[in-house]
Amino acid sequence: EGRFHKPFFTASAGQSPEDVVWRAQVRNAEAQCKDNVVIQFVKDFSRFYEMVDLAELEARAVAAEFPGELLGLALAGYKAERRVCVDDLVSEAAVARSGVIAGDSLATPLVKAYYGHIFEKFAERWSSSLEALHIEIQISVRHCGEPNVVT
């Protein structure tokens, strides 16, 4: 996980979702005391993990030098046949072309490898243009409505 960490990925070992909110509020209060304008944008991306295209994930992970054995293991699981069973009925096999399994220990490092370059370009472009731009990206998974941070 540490290999794919960037400063703007804030939910990592030793950090919680509350840390992101707390830091943002402290920065906002400080900026307001200095008569600066504060704009805060918060976006919860629904289906963040499910939107990962598996073919593109493989290409981006290879480009990011993700360990090949671990990548192969994860992709084999994500692409494995799935069937729905109800009582004695079994569906035809279905194979996923997108989606990283939430809760998988490789999911967050792979999602960071998949989306990292996009966020990195954004940070490079805007942090040099604005006096004080703070970008923090919280990646988490919700199980049964409860937050479960996995980054």
Side-chain angles (χ1 to χ4, degrees), residues 30-41:
E30 178 186 27
Q32 288 173 340
C33 288
K34 295 178 180 179
D35 290 330
N36 291 335
V37 174
V38 175
I39 300 172
Q40 184 170 347
F41 173 77

Side-chain angles (χ1 to χ4, degrees), residues 111-124:
V111 167
K112 286 180 176 182
Y114 185 81
Y115 289 111
H117 73 285
I118 297 167
F119 296 129
E120 197 167 77
K121 285 181 183 179
F122 181 86
E124 287 174 8

Side-chain angles (χ1 to χ4, degrees), residues 75-98:
L75 289 173
Y78 302 154
K79 294 178 181 180
E81 286 187 356
R82 290 169 173 73
R83 298 175 187 269
V84 176
C85 300
V86 178
D87 295 326
D88 294 332
L89 301 173
V90 179
S91 73
E92 295 289 324
V95 178
R97 291 185 297 252
S98 66

Side-chain angles (χ1 to χ4, degrees), residues 29-82:
E30 178 186 27
Q32 288 173 340
C33 288
K34 295 178 180 179
D35 290 330
N36 291 335
V37 174
V38 175
I39 300 172
Q40 184 170 347
F41 173 77
V42 178
K43 171 67 177 148
D44 182 11
F45 293 96
S46 63
R47 300 182 47 140
F48 192 74
Y49 278 58
E50 290 84 0
M51 294 186 302
V52 173
D53 178 271
L54 295 177
E56 187 64 26
L57 171 63
E58 184 172 13
R60 290 181 188 181
V62 167
E65 298 180 357
F66 199 92
E69 299 82 12
L70 294 175
L71 176 60
L73 178 67
L75 289 173
Y78 302 154
K79 294 178 181 180
E81 286 187 356
R82 290 169 173 73

